[in-house]
Structure formats: C-alpha cells, structure tokens
Amino acid sequence: MAAHIRRRLRKGATTTAVAAAAVAALAASQAPAATLADGPAGGGDPKAAGEDTASAEDDGAATGNSPYYTDLPPLVTPDKPGASSNLPVTGSAEAGIPASILAAYKQAEQTVRTTDPACRLPWQLLAAIGKVESGQARGGRVDANGTASPPILGPALNGQGFALIRDTDGGAYDSDAVHDRAVGPMQFIPSTWASWGQDANGDGRKDPNNIYDAALAAGRYLCANDRDLAIAADLDKAVLSYNRSNEYLRTVRSWFSYYQRGTHEIPDGTGKLPTAPSTPSPSPSPNPGTPSPGATPGPKPSPSPPGGKPTPGPSKPGDGSTSPTPKPPTSKPTPAETFGSLENAGTGPLRATAGQAFDERVAVLARNALGAPLGKVSVTFTVTGNTGTLFAGGKKTVTVRTGADGTATAPELRAGEKAGEFTVTAVAGTGRPRTLTYAATVTARQADTIARTDEKALVAAPGEKFADAVTVKATYKDAAAAGVAVTATMVKDPLGLFDNDKGPYFKDAAGKPVRTLTTLTTDAEGMLRLPEIFADGTEGTFKLRLTTEGGASVVIELTIQAPEGTAPEGTTPEETAPKETETPEA
C-alpha cells in the first residue's frame, strides 16, 4: 500500500515536503499484510476548507469514518438499456462491475426486498458504496466463494491522522488487538460488524471479507430506522450513517447516479481501481460520547485547511475521538430493539371443509434490524372474504404479541358454511408497517358414502307418480355428513353415462319436468329425502344417479310399468282379452 502511494506521489511532487510528509503518515498507518492493497481505502472525513460535517439521525458510522476513495465517475455516463447509446460489455471500464461483486449486490437487494420490502433498497446504492469504500473489492479480487484475497483492511484507527478507536474484537476480524481497522469490501469496523454481520452465502460464517455477507450487512444497515431509500432524504441519512461526511455523501451519490444509468458485468479481478484517497483528520485524544450501532462514540472532526495538512480538532461522530462538547445520550432503539421484518413462521396450506376447524394456524416471525427474532411485537391478524370464516370466539380481527422466539400465532380458524377463498392478513409495525397475506380455502362439506335407507322396489305406472319416496343417507368417515350437496340425475343406460329425455322426472317450481336437481342438501343427520318422482308414458327400467361433494355416489333403479291386466297405451280391452278357441268337430 505504502509503496503504491509512494509511486503515485513521485509523479510531480516527490521532492516536496508535503509529499514526503504524506507518504510518511500513510506508510506509518498501514499494516503490511492488511491494507487496501493497490491504493488507500476506506472512509474518513476529508473536507475542503471550511466545510462542515453533515448531520444524521444517529451518532455512529459503520466504517468508523475511516478513509475512502474520492474519485468521481466519468462525465459521460452510460445509458440505460434501450437508450440511444447503449453501453456495450466492452465499454467504459468505470461502468464495469466484477461478476461476483455485482452478483452479491443484486442478491442483497433481493434478500432485503423479501424481508424489508418497504425499504426499497437499490443494488446500485450498494455498488456506489462498494466503489467508494474498496474500489469494488479492489477490482473484484475475490475467490470462488466471494471472499477478498488477501483480506481488505483499512489503516489502524489509532488517532494518528485517523479516528481513535481502540480494539473491540481482540483482532478477530482485523488482526489488530490494539486498535480497530475497517474490514472487507464494505469496510465495516469490527464493533459494527458484531451487530450487523450476516451469513449471506450460507457457509455458516459471518465474514466481513466475503462480499455476499458484507453486501447484505450493508443493505440491512442502510435500511435501519424504517428508512425508505426511494425517498431522497432517507437515502441521504442512510449514506451519512455509513460515513459522516458531506463529501462522502456527494461521492456516493455521484456513483449511485452513474450506476443507475447503466453498468455491465466484467470478469473478477479486472475492475478499474480508484486512485484518489480521502485526507484523514487527526483526533488527538479520546472522549466518551453517545454510543451507536457498531461505532465508538465521539465528536465531530474539524475541517482540514487548504494546504492539505490536517489540523487537530474535534472529529466526526462515531470515531471515538475528542470533542469539547460531547452530545448527550439519545434514547433511540438499538438495531437489536428495532423491528425489521415480518416473515411466515412455517404456516402450511390453509384449507378446511365448511363448518370445520382449520388444521393449520397462521404464524408469523418478527425479526429485528439485525435479522434476529424480536419479541413483544404486536401483530394484527384479519380475516377478509365472504365465506363466513372467523377466528375462535367469532372474531374477524385479533392482535397477538410475539414471544421471546419472535413468533406470534393467530387463534384457530373455523370455516364458514360458504365454500370459496378468503385471505388472512398479518400486519406489524408502525410508520411503515410490514404485511403478510395468506390465501385460504373453504371447501364444501363432503361425504365418502351415500346409500338408500331401504331396498324397496320403486315402480310406477305410465303417467303416474312413484308412490314410495327415495331416501338416502350420506356419511363421511363413518359419521353423518350434514350439509353435503347432492346432485340427482336421471339416466337411462346401465352405466349411467348419458342424460335421459324420457322416463322418470322431477318437477320444477313451475311444474315442468326436469331430470337433474343440483339444489339438494343433506340434513343435520346426513339424511336426504328426494322430491316426488313422476313417470311419463315410456315403459322400462331407468337409473337415478345421486352424487355428493367428495365423490360418493349411488345408482337407484326406477321402473315404469303398466299394472298387470292393463291394456298398453293405444290398445282396446277387446284386443287384449283372451280369445275363445274353437273345439274341432268330432
């Protein structure tokens, strides 16, 4: 790192005292095997003379306000697809993002969209911060798992030209047991990573040097405090919470706009590295301030004079250095106390038969801003639809608080009598509430068996009514099936496959013949007595098929037959009477 800086400073200014001083300061502050390799990295609060530090909603900074790159994007920006001059894959190196880095940003956007859709995190914002913090992981120098190789470490935050942040991790992340250093492609200081670290690649580790883990952690950090990043003010607050500097905000904003105009994927390790580092401000002595997520509290830094030589003075919030007037403690919730997302806690398909209780109960899981389960969150469950389904106790809306494991389970659902679909909505949080919607279905009551209650033959004379009523009983799992819909259809063939236009029939309300009824329902005992059945003038044996919701069926024979001794239609008694036979003469 120091050697690379010296090479750059030789171009025009290596003989000046200012250049020598800069080389000495930067070289002294970098660890030989733990730097941003080919260029100074990180965050810091470099300012032109007289520039003030921007304010934000909390006092911390994810990076500890370590140094960062100040290079700005090209004046000619790429165009979005479909514009007049689309940027080809072989276009500007500045617009190219290494493949693994780009994939990590997009994966983080998708994950946050699932767990915190109201944040509306754009992956281009992660790309802009990644560009400014580490030059897209030093141009994409990561292994097959997305881990920076070698690790990316910023300078020791020892107060010598940088913020003073004493060791918080025993050197676990930054290999420095004396002072903290910003770590990884997104340059988290160890104390911030301890609160916000993620395992996005599923390897069981939360590694700040892994771009997938770091990008998701950065996304969730930016979304904290119920921010909506589609709102400019919230986006500015998010960026300033990362590094508290107006110049930093302007630089990130410039790259964000640039990447929104278009970008493309390039091979890992081929990205263009930034060259202009920020100028650190010293922080001579520590002074306790207000703690915030992941950063040691402290006061604001003073601006650097025009000559570029840092002057002692108060440092930025969160860098652990002195301030003549420390801020009073705030009462804002920590990330562990902040409601972050609402998820399905394993609720299965919601289906039940009319009038029955649902086997599944709606359950949700509330998480905090760190992704851990969060208790004592009020969740309101509401049933919407016209099936008559209600929660136990006859309520359409109930409110339940999550337990220590972050879960809340709604009371039992009882299906109404009307078949159809409805929804259960779970809502939690204020300001920008999180919402989950569950689809549910009520099916009609079913029977698996239907049978006649007697076996008496059903016979009627042509043009007459069947004297005996047809009564059946439906059961489901050997119990009476109440309220089951039954369809009755007259058929003529033995298999009951074809509709019949002759033979037995029912009558509708107007007295007209009908041979199919669909409005029949079993009573509380599962019993059904069919309406009266009439015979037309066609003699023969016919079939009556009854089917239930659930697939049970029975076929009943109906016979139309003239009584014995009755002349068939169209004949006279003389024609049907026995004829005398003549006795042959002897």
Side-chain angles (χ1 to χ4, degrees), residues 30 70 104 137 218 255:
Q30 304 291 328
T70 60
W255 283 107

Side-chain angles (χ1 to χ4, degrees), residues 114 117 339 342-343 424-429 432-438:
T114 300
F339 175 52
L342 192 67
E343 303 173 10
V424 179
T425 302
V427 180
R432 292 190 301 113
R434 312 298 196 268
T435 301
L436 287 178
T437 301
Y438 299 80

Side-chain angles (χ1 to χ4, degrees), residues 3 26 77 113 213 373 479 517 549 555:
L26 287 172
T77 60
R113 181 180 298 173
D213 294 357
L517 294 179
E549 193 73 40
V555 177

Side-chain angles (χ1 to χ4, degrees), residues 128 231-233 235-236 248-258:
I231 298 174
L235 189 144
D236 287 350
Y248 181 83
L249 173 61
R250 287 194 296 270
T251 306
V252 169
R253 273 284 198 175
S254 296
W255 283 107
F256 177 49
S257 297
Y258 182 77

Side-chain angles (χ1 to χ4, degrees), residues 98-460:
S100 294
I101 314 304
L102 182 59
Y105 296 150
K106 292 184 176 181
Q107 177 179 298
E109 178 192 63
Q110 291 298 321
T111 300
V112 173
R113 181 180 298 173
T114 300
T115 59
D116 187 6
C119 174
R120 296 192 281 183
L121 170 73
W123 67 262
Q124 292 91 342
L125 179 60
L126 296 175
I129 290 175
K131 178 72 172 181
V132 172
E133 290 294 345
S134 68
Q136 308 298 18
R138 296 177 306 203
R141 291 174 61 183
V142 296
D143 63 19
N145 296 318
T147 301
S149 179
I152 301 174
L153 297 179
L157 300 176
N158 56 11
Q160 302 299 312
F162 302 100
L164 175 60
I165 303 182
R166 302 191 187 281
D167 176 65
T168 61
D169 67 331
Y173 294 119
D174 57 9
S175 302
D176 189 334
V178 179
H179 297 96
D180 272 349
R181 298 168 180 260
V183 184
M186 304 306 282
Q187 288 289 275
F188 281 96
I189 57 173
S191 55
T192 305
W193 186 257
S195 296
W196 292 89
Q198 303 291 317
D199 176 19
N201 64 350
D203 64 357
R205 298 178 60 232
K206 297 179 180 179
D207 184 358
N209 269 296
N210 181 274
I211 185 58
Y212 292 95
D213 294 357
L216 181 57
R220 286 188 166 149
Y221 183 91
L222 293 167
C223 288
N225 299 314
D226 285 338
R227 296 189 187 104
D228 180 353
L229 300 182
I231 298 174
D234 277 8
L235 189 144
D236 287 350
K237 290 177 181 178
V239 174
L240 288 169
S241 77
Y242 214 88
N243 193 308
R244 234 165 253 304
S245 159
N246 276 325
E247 182 186 32
Y248 181 83
L249 173 61
R250 287 194 296 270
T251 306
V252 169
R253 273 284 198 175
S254 296
W255 283 107
F256 177 49
S257 297
Y258 182 77
Y259 288 136
Q260 282 185 312
R261 291 282 294 159
T263 186
H264 58 268
E265 177 184 300
I266 60 175
D268 288 347
T270 64
K272 183 175 180 180
L273 293 176
T275 58
S278 62
T279 304
S281 295
S283 8
S285 61
N287 187 46
T290 303
S292 65
T296 306
K300 297 181 179 180
S302 62
S304 302
K309 184 178 179 181
T311 57
S315 64
K316 288 182 293 182
D319 65 7
S321 51
T322 61
S323 170
T325 55
K327 292 184 178 180
T330 65
S331 59
K332 292 185 178 181
T334 66
E337 300 169 329
T338 302
F339 175 52
S341 64
L342 192 67
E343 303 173 10
N344 184 358
T347 306
L350 296 171
R351 289 190 293 266
T353 302
Q356 304 299 311
F358 282 76
D359 292 334
E360 286 284 331
R361 293 171 64 180
V362 178
V364 299
L365 170 63
R367 294 187 184 275
N368 62 20
L370 304 177
L374 181 62
K376 298 182 180 180
V377 175
S378 293
V379 183
T380 299
F381 299 92
T382 302
V383 174
T384 304
N386 60 357
T387 64
T389 301
L390 298 170
F391 290 113
K395 297 180 179 179
K396 294 191 71 172
T397 300
V398 294
T399 299
V400 181
R401 299 187 77 184
T402 59
D405 62 353
T407 62
T409 303
E412 181 183 70
L413 281 167
R414 181 162 289 275
E417 290 298 332
K418 184 177 180 181
E421 297 181 348
F422 68 97
T423 60
V424 179
T425 302
V427 180
T430 58
R432 292 190 301 113
R434 312 298 196 268
T435 301
L436 287 178
T437 301
Y438 299 80
T441 303
V442 175
T443 59
R445 293 175 182 264
Q446 299 181 356
D448 52 21
T449 303
I450 185 170
R452 283 189 67 190
T453 57
D454 62 65
E455 297 181 355
K456 189 174 182 180
L458 299 169
V459 182

Side-chain angles (χ1 to χ4, degrees), residues 459-472:
V459 182
E464 299 296 328
K465 179 174 67 175
F466 284 81
D468 297 307
V470 176
T471 303
V472 295

Side-chain angles (χ1 to χ4, degrees), residues 15 73 127 194 219 225 387-388 428 559 585:
T15 59
N225 299 314
T387 64
T559 302
E585 294 181 0

